[in-house]
Amino acid sequence: QVQLVESGGGLVQDGGSLRLSCAASRRTFNMYAMGWFRQPPGKERELVAAFRWSDGAQYYVDSVRGRFTISRDITKPTVSLQMNSLKPEDTAVYFCAASGKYGVRYDNVAEYDYWGQGTQVTVSS
């Protein structure tokens, strides 16, 4: 069993920045990709950004491209999400997820094996 622990959420003003981190409990998990999802109030969970562990390839949804950056620390392993120029519409619970499936479709929630508990991000206008 792999546990994912998120940290770094909070309250920030429109235009501000936050950095989220996700630490995996063990390194032996055959991880193919890690992703950050978010779930706004009353809406479905959606992909924000994903990272392919083997070669560092990154994927972003259009609404955050240029504002958010996903990165990794191989030694821990930890995946972070730097969020700049935050907007009120970014308000959501943010979840870290990990998948061991080769060729995972990044935006498919069902293809991720492990999930963190979620961390609240609130952007005030």
Side-chain angles (χ1 to χ4, degrees):
Q1 186 74 11
V2 174
Q3 290 185 324
L4 302 178
V5 180
E6 301 119 335
S7 60
L11 173 65
V12 66
Q13 291 188 332
D14 190 355
S17 298
L18 282 174
R19 184 177 181 87
L20 306 181
S21 292
C22 174
S25 61
R26 62 183 177 92
R27 298 173 57 185
T28 56
F29 169 51
N30 188 21
M31 192 181 304
Y32 180 81
M34 291 188 74
W36 283 98
F37 288 75
R38 65 186 179 188
Q39 189 164 13
K43 297 185 178 180
E44 293 187 351
R45 195 168 298 188
E46 61 181 10
L47 177 71
V48 175
F51 195 104
R52 189 164 61 203
W53 205 256
S54 60
D55 61 2
Q58 302 170 23
Y59 174 83
Y60 299 92
V61 296
D62 288 343
S63 60
V64 306
R65 188 174 291 116
R67 300 189 297 124
F68 291 11
T69 303
I70 190 170
S71 61
R72 66 175 175 175
D73 182 341
I74 296 177
T75 63
K76 295 186 179 179
T78 300
V79 172
S80 298
L81 185 68
Q82 177 66 42
M83 304 185 295
N84 298 328
S85 302
L86 282 161
K87 305 175 182 180
E89 51 263 44
D90 294 317
T91 294
V93 178
Y94 283 70
F95 296 89
C96 172
S99 175
K101 180 179 179 180
Y102 180 82
V104 61
R105 189 180 128 186
Y106 293 134
D107 63 347
N108 189 350
V109 170
E111 294 188 22
Y112 286 81
D113 304 289
Y114 301 102
W115 291 84
Q117 79 284 357
T119 185
Q120 177 70 46
V121 172
T122 303
V123 185
S124 62
S125 57

